[in-house]
Amino acid sequence: MNDPYAMSRRAVLLGVATVATGCSSSGGRTATSTPTSGTPAATAAPTGPAPPSGGTPATTTPSALPTVTAWAPDPGDVQPQVKQRAVTLVSALGAWPPGGQGPEAARARLAVLGFDPELADRAGSLSSPAPEAVLEVVDAQYGGILDDTASVLVVCRRWTRAEDGTVTADGSTVDVRLSRATPVWTVTTLYPSDPGPAAASLSAQASRILADSRITLPPAAAADVRAGAVHASVLTALETLAADRTIDVSILRSGHPINVFGTNRPSDHPRGRAVDVWRIDGRSVVDPTTPRALVEGFMRAGAAAGSYNVGGPYQLSGAAFFSDPTHRDHVHLGFTT
């Protein structure tokens, strides 16, 4: 990737802050030790708490923050430099070295990387008063990619350490909007997820989803389930699909654009009636080495599980299926009831 900010970015990521991706996974399943292309790899087992399944952040007694490695685009990605730009922004906002907390420090990090420093004012859940933080990018998925504009959904886990050494694990999904520019695409704004509080009580089905070791939910998606914001049709489909495979979810409700990108049509995601899956049986959907039959089989299984709107990297026959550049990196399942 020809990025004029590459050297300054490395200086910030390596010399100023430890940020980006790597170690563990939520939903009760350990991340694969041999990463697929474009999948974060662990350099050391986390020594802080496990990332939460949603709701209240997990905390632990004083300990070291986990060591994580930097996310990298997959060779199969559409416009990989666009994803990298979004990930670099989120990493700079959500992680910092000791003493690097606060809006002024965040603005300085953005300026070094060639971003508008005022984007720090929109950090939302990425900000924290904690003196130190590291961030893992689980996945970077397109919410939309057109000729001149893009939405990149950066799915994150994050660990912060307080003054007394207590480590808290949380996470978010950030919708980063970009526009085409030379030499690099420009980030115009960002929308960190805000799933809301956990419901007073959970359905038995929601509890099963959160405990299912075959369904990996990142923090924002798990928080959607805990908030009672995901329709039963989606939860039922997840249980059905996970009966004979493992599923890594990227998006349920929070963090997705309100409208289908580039249109005025409401998306099923904000209504809690859709799920995006980025990895099936440990194989990334966007990875060119992932067997086509695996992805196509999952898409057809999604339709059989009740999805009226199945998007993915391959155009299948049937009214329920569609494919476009946005869905090269995940399988989308939408539901009406």
Side-chain angles (χ1 to χ4, degrees), residues 135-296:
L135 182 131
E136 172 192 30
V137 174
V138 178
D139 185 42
Q141 170 191 304
Y142 278 121
I145 177 72
L146 304 175
D147 289 342
D148 296 315
T149 58
S151 160
V152 179
L153 310 182
V154 184
V155 182
C156 307
R157 299 186 185 100
R158 199 256 301 271
W159 293 262
T160 56
R161 183 161 54 191
E163 292 282 0
D164 64 0
T166 301
V167 174
T168 297
D170 58 17
S172 61
T173 295
V174 187
D175 178 6
V176 181
R177 301 296 178 92
L178 305 96
S179 62
R180 182 182 291 276
T182 301
V184 291
W185 283 50
T186 299
V187 173
T188 56
T189 193
L190 66 153
Y191 302 99
S193 60
D194 184 12
S201 62
L202 281 179
S203 68
Q205 184 178 47
S207 296
R208 289 196 304 270
I209 292 292
L210 291 168
D212 195 329
S213 64
R214 301 181 66 84
I215 302 172
T216 299
L217 299 174
D224 288 334
V225 176
R226 289 193 179 278
V230 182
H231 197 269
S233 58
V234 177
L235 301 181
T236 298
L238 284 173
E239 285 193 292
T240 299
L241 292 166
D244 55 3
R245 58 177 64 83
T246 59
I247 300 169
D248 284 55
V249 170
S250 49
I251 309 291
L252 282 172
R253 177 180 176 273
S254 299
H256 194 278
I258 294 175
N259 292 329
V260 175
F261 191 73
T263 78
N264 292 321
R265 290 184 289 113
S267 168
D268 287 325
H269 283 279
R271 296 182 288 179
R273 294 178 180 271
V275 57
D276 289 347
V277 172
W278 74 276
R279 193 160 60 178
I280 305 159
D281 282 339
R283 304 297 297 266
S284 173
V285 170
V286 74
D287 185 349
T289 68
T290 295
R292 177 167 177 156
L294 178 68
V295 179
E296 287 191 357

Side-chain angles (χ1 to χ4, degrees), residues 31-42 279 282 287:
T32 178
S33 60
T34 303
T36 58
S37 180
T39 303
R279 193 160 60 178
D287 185 349

